[in-house]
Amino acid sequence: MKLLEERIKKDGRVYPGNILKVDSFLNHQIDVSLMDQIGDAFYEAYKDCGITKILTIEASGIAIACSTARRFGVPLLFAKKTRSLNIGNDVYTATVSSFTYKQDYQVVISKRYLSETDHVVIVDDFLATGNAMLGLADLCKMAGASVDGIGICIEKGFQNGGKQLRDMGYSVTSLAVIDSMTDDGKIVFRS
Amino acid sequence: MKLLEERIKKDGRVYPGNILKVDSFLNHQIDVSLMDQIGDAFYEAYKDCGITKILTIEASGIAIACSTARRFGVPLLFAKKTRSLNIGNDVYTATVSSFTYKQDYQVVISKRYLSETDHVVIVDDFLATGNAMLGLADLCKMAGASVDGIGICIEKGFQNGGKQLRDMGYSVTSLAVIDSMTDDGKIVFRS
């Protein structure tokens, strides 16, 4: 998605350790018009799959999931990262190792909102190690739901997550794939 | 907002301790079409205020903020609940006591994205004690930004937050105000 690559080049900031900050438009301050174009792209990729639900994980995925769910005309469901006191016991849980935060956490969804009749697109802002997406795919598996696609805004192509998910048979649509970043701020996109 | 009250009556579940679960449409699984109607309502309330930004707090506020920001044609900004390893030091922080989770947490925004030229509507799913809204209003004060409105989906009118915020001079627009709930599931809305 040319538009997203251009926005990353214009407004992204690269920090040592392969950290890309896109918090001016994607995951802290959010450009809703860009989210809508991202939602359009995921819709184009999976519009013929009979999608019934958009699944994401709090918090950065929610805005992307909103625009995507609106385009498909289906509800979105966001997995919570810790067991809320209020969420009840009737939940599916999976464990995820966070690359960013260097610790494990639980992802949790209520059993009420995902079942074997669901066809799901999972969306998120970043794909790096793929651990969060694997956790969400596990939740779908527990529910018997079909994961018809995984829609990613920015894939760090130099990390293993995308390859691993594709090798497992998942359809991964990444709108911008970064092959390399240098500490002085240069970003090379996969063509 | 009649539509929201009706949806709460239809799909909300009341649990002992004045807990109202609306996670089938508002804050776990999300009905995006309802979010858009909520965004329309907040737009109607504050369309003449020269709003430049919609502020909320992760995670439940983000979907509401998305629809509201789209309607205003401005960015949304969501405060994070803990200091991310990646967010940088150039942040405003305030402390919030959570009624739901019975503990204090920090709300954090980057100084880059809020300034004294901003006119802000703060939005969230629930208003009970008002602590989260006070924290977000504090962040705006630190930035010198004007809080032109606070848009709430469901106000628990039997708790003190709404009164406190209004007594402080804030314009609070609550789309559904609950005066009482009984353990057997009856919900009385303020007329």
Side-chain angles (χ1 to χ4, degrees):
Chain A
M1 191 188 186
K2 210 65 205 165
L3 184 80
L4 181 59
E5 290 185 6
E6 280 164 9
R7 188 63 177 271
I8 294 166
K9 278 184 193 166
K10 178 172 163 277
D11 292 329
R13 287 169 288 133
V14 177
Y15 291 91
N18 283 324
I19 292 169
L20 172 63
K21 296 290 292 289
V22 287
D23 64 358
S24 66
F25 60 93
L26 188 61
N27 52 19
H28 180 31
Q29 181 171 257
I30 293 172
D31 176 343
V32 177
S33 152
L34 178 66
M35 295 305 105
D36 287 347
Q37 289 170 292
I38 287 169
D40 289 348
F42 294 148
Y43 179 74
E44 279 307 308
Y46 301 111
K47 65 184 172 189
D48 299 324
C49 297
I51 299 303
T52 60
K53 205 149 284 186
I54 308 301
L55 177 65
T56 190
I57 184 169
E58 66 176 0
S60 308
I62 296 175
I64 299 154
C66 269
S67 290
T68 308
R70 174 181 296 100
R71 196 66 180 77
F72 278 95
V74 302
L76 80 91
L77 179 66
F78 71 86
K80 306 195 177 198
K81 277 185 180 166
T82 49
R83 186 184 287 262
S84 154
L85 294 179
N86 281 352
I87 202 169
N89 291 318
D90 207 21
V91 295
Y92 298 114
T93 65
T95 300
V96 172
S97 298
S98 169
F99 177 77
T100 310
Y101 296 92
K102 318 290 183 206
Q103 62 186 17
D104 289 356
Y105 58 91
Q106 299 281 314
V107 287
V108 181
I109 58 169
S110 169
K111 290 181 183 174
R112 289 172 182 262
Y113 307 127
L114 203 61
S115 76
E116 67 277 0
T117 60
D118 277 313
H119 287 259
V120 177
V121 177
I122 302 174
V123 301
D124 208 1
D125 56 343
F126 274 96
L127 174 63
T129 63
N131 290 339
M133 294 302 95
L134 286 169
L136 295 187
D138 278 351
L139 296 177
C140 290
K141 201 178 293 176
M142 291 173 206
S146 163
V147 178
D148 289 75
I150 297 176
I152 299 293
C153 296
I154 305 174
E155 179 179 340
K156 290 182 170 175
F158 51 87
Q159 288 186 261
N160 200 46
K163 181 178 185 321
Q164 187 183 359
L165 289 166
R166 291 180 183 99
D167 286 350
M168 291 170 76
Y170 290 110
S171 164
V172 180
T173 299
S174 294
L175 302 183
V177 181
I178 296 174
D179 268 339
S180 65
M181 296 191 290
T182 56
D183 287 356
D184 64 349
K186 195 165 144 49
I187 301 171
V188 179
F189 291 101
R190 190 169 297 173
S191 54
Chain B
M1 190 186 184
K2 209 69 203 163
L3 183 80
L4 181 59
E5 290 185 7
E6 280 163 11
R7 188 63 176 271
I8 294 166
K9 278 184 194 166
K10 178 171 162 278
D11 292 329
R13 288 170 288 133
V14 177
Y15 292 92
N18 282 324
I19 292 170
L20 172 64
K21 296 290 291 287
V22 287
D23 63 359
S24 66
F25 61 94
L26 187 61
N27 53 17
H28 180 32
Q29 181 170 259
I30 293 171
D31 176 343
V32 177
S33 152
L34 179 66
M35 295 306 104
D36 288 346
Q37 291 171 290
I38 287 169
D40 289 348
F42 293 148
Y43 178 75
E44 280 306 308
Y46 300 112
K47 65 184 173 189
D48 298 324
C49 298
I51 298 304
T52 60
K53 204 150 285 186
I54 307 302
L55 177 65
T56 189
I57 185 169
E58 64 176 1
S60 309
I62 296 175
I64 299 154
C66 269
S67 290
T68 309
R70 174 181 295 99
R71 197 66 181 76
F72 278 95
V74 302
L76 80 91
L77 179 66
F78 71 85
K80 305 195 177 197
K81 275 185 181 166
T82 48
R83 186 185 287 262
S84 155
L85 295 178
N86 282 350
I87 202 170
N89 291 318
D90 207 21
V91 295
Y92 298 114
T93 66
T95 301
V96 172
S97 298
S98 168
F99 177 77
T100 311
Y101 296 92
K102 318 287 183 208
Q103 63 186 16
D104 288 356
Y105 59 90
Q106 298 282 313
V107 287
V108 181
I109 59 168
S110 168
K111 290 181 183 175
R112 288 173 182 262
Y113 307 126
L114 203 61
S115 76
E116 67 277 1
T117 61
D118 277 313
H119 287 260
V120 177
V121 177
I122 302 174
V123 300
D124 207 0
D125 55 344
F126 273 97
L127 173 62
T129 63
N131 290 338
M133 294 301 95
L134 286 169
L136 296 186
D138 278 350
L139 296 177
C140 291
K141 202 178 291 179
M142 290 174 206
S146 162
V147 177
D148 290 76
I150 297 176
I152 298 294
C153 296
I154 305 173
E155 178 177 339
K156 290 181 169 175
F158 51 87
Q159 287 188 262
N160 201 44
K163 181 179 184 323
Q164 187 183 359
L165 288 167
R166 291 179 182 100
D167 285 350
M168 291 169 76
Y170 290 110
S171 165
V172 180
T173 300
S174 294
L175 303 182
V177 181
I178 296 175
D179 268 338
S180 65
M181 297 192 290
T182 56
D183 287 356
D184 63 349
K186 194 165 144 48
I187 301 170
V188 178
F189 293 100
R190 190 169 297 173
S191 54

